[in-house]
Amino acid sequence: MEVKIGVQHAPREIVLESGQSAEEVERVVAEALAGKSALLSLVDEHGRKVLVPADRLAYVEIGEPAPRKVGFGAL
């Protein structure tokens, strides 16, 4: 699952591939925005943890993973 996170006052967004489902990511984001936790915490496919302060979230975009391209196919 591809997740893009916009952070206030940061010029670039955070993009990660998460093994979590869209519903799980949405639940974690909703909890962070509701004030249940001070940090948005997500884990990517490689086991790295991404922590973002909940009060600095600008947006979170949840999308389907892009199929990986292999070889020299035409665009």
Side-chain angles (χ1 to χ4, degrees):
M1 180 68 48
E2 182 181 65
V3 181
K4 294 181 183 179
I5 304 169
V7 181
Q8 294 177 8
H9 309 298
R12 295 177 50 190
E13 62 190 10
I14 300 169
V15 180
L16 65 117
E17 286 288 332
S18 176
Q20 298 169 307
S21 69
E23 292 79 24
E24 288 176 305
V25 173
E26 187 175 350
R27 180 184 52 79
V28 172
V29 170
E31 288 176 358
L33 291 175
K36 293 183 181 179
S37 63
L39 294 172
L40 170 64
S41 175
L42 296 172
V43 179
D44 73 0
E45 288 182 336
H46 302 288
R48 295 178 292 216
K49 188 176 278 193
V50 176
L51 301 170
V52 179
D55 62 343
R56 296 290 180 205
L57 288 175
Y59 65 89
V60 177
E61 183 179 315
I62 303 169
E64 292 297 318
R68 299 191 186 265
K69 296 179 182 176
V70 179
F72 296 103
L75 299 176

